[in-house]
Amino acid sequence: PLPAPLAGLGEVAAVAWTTTPWTLPARLAVAVHPEHDYVALRAGSRTVIVAAALAPALADTLGLVEPALARVTGRELEGVRSRHPWLDRIVPIVLADYVTLESGTGLVHTAPGHGQEDYQTGQKYGLDVLAPVDGRGRFTDAVAEWAGQPVSAANPAIIEHLRSVGTLVAARRMSARSIASLVRACHS
């Protein structure tokens, strides 16, 4: 269930940040920092959750409308369940001290099969280690949409897929090799 301050707001979307869209098929959680404050704000017809400290910087990108509808701590969000951006998978919101307020939304996509911090968080919460990539760096059949495609080339296709299913909030090129995307995952 949603924390009391968020109850009654209807469908609330957790807007998670990733610089590695190719890892999204392996998303098994969304991480928040236990001590950061998070706010629920209107973004068009949606209600979204972002870190309070980052809301002003995200206002234009996300079309956020102040004032905040509710305020909670990351600790209060722990255990809230959200939907994967396109797969039939429910993922929990988990706590992680490595979530920062330097950039992004203050909510971080977490794939325990892709990265040490994500792996450690997954172990803490008993999450599976899902890594649908073969020894040649290509998606396995577990990722039917891109099976056989090199993960290094998959980011644009995954971003376009997110756009087509309506869960991409924003995407921008950070460098010649890096794309950041903000992906909406709704509370269930």
Side-chain angles (χ1 to χ4, degrees):
L2 285 171
L6 300 176
L9 295 180
E11 187 174 90
V12 178
V15 180
W17 160 266
T18 185
T19 56
T20 55
W22 69 268
T23 64
L24 284 169
R27 174 191 275 185
L28 295 179
V30 173
V32 297
H33 192 286
E35 296 174 10
H36 293 169
D37 286 330
Y38 292 84
V39 290
L41 296 164
R42 290 276 179 229
S45 62
R46 298 178 176 148
T47 301
V48 300
I49 295 178
V50 298
L54 294 169
L58 293 166
D60 287 339
T61 302
L62 302 182
L64 300 178
V65 178
E66 301 250 16
L69 303 171
R71 181 184 281 290
V72 295
T73 65
R75 190 168 307 286
E76 291 176 277
L77 291 171
E78 182 181 29
V80 169
R81 296 161 42 100
S82 65
R83 285 187 226 123
H84 185 281
W86 76 85
L87 296 172
D88 185 20
R89 179 185 302 152
I90 302 297
V91 302
I93 294 181
V94 299
L95 303 178
D97 288 337
Y98 56 81
V99 177
T100 71
L101 298 175
E102 293 172 17
S103 62
T105 63
L107 295 96
V108 178
H109 146 73
T110 302
H114 298 302
Q116 187 64 32
E117 289 176 329
D118 289 18
Y119 174 79
Q120 290 169 339
T121 298
Q123 292 297 292
K124 175 181 173 185
Y125 285 92
L127 302 175
D128 290 336
V129 178
L130 176 60
V133 179
D134 67 20
R136 298 179 305 146
R138 298 176 183 275
F139 281 116
T140 66
D141 291 342
V143 183
E145 300 94 335
W146 303 287
Q149 182 173 354
V151 297
S152 60
N155 285 342
I158 291 172
I159 288 172
E160 186 51 42
H161 183 69
L162 291 166
R163 186 175 284 114
S164 75
V165 298
T167 57
L168 180 70
V169 175
R172 65 184 162 118
R173 183 163 296 285
M174 297 182 62
S175 70
R177 299 179 55 134
S178 177
I179 299 172
S181 59
L182 303 176
V183 183
R184 179 176 61 89
C186 297
H187 160 72
S188 64

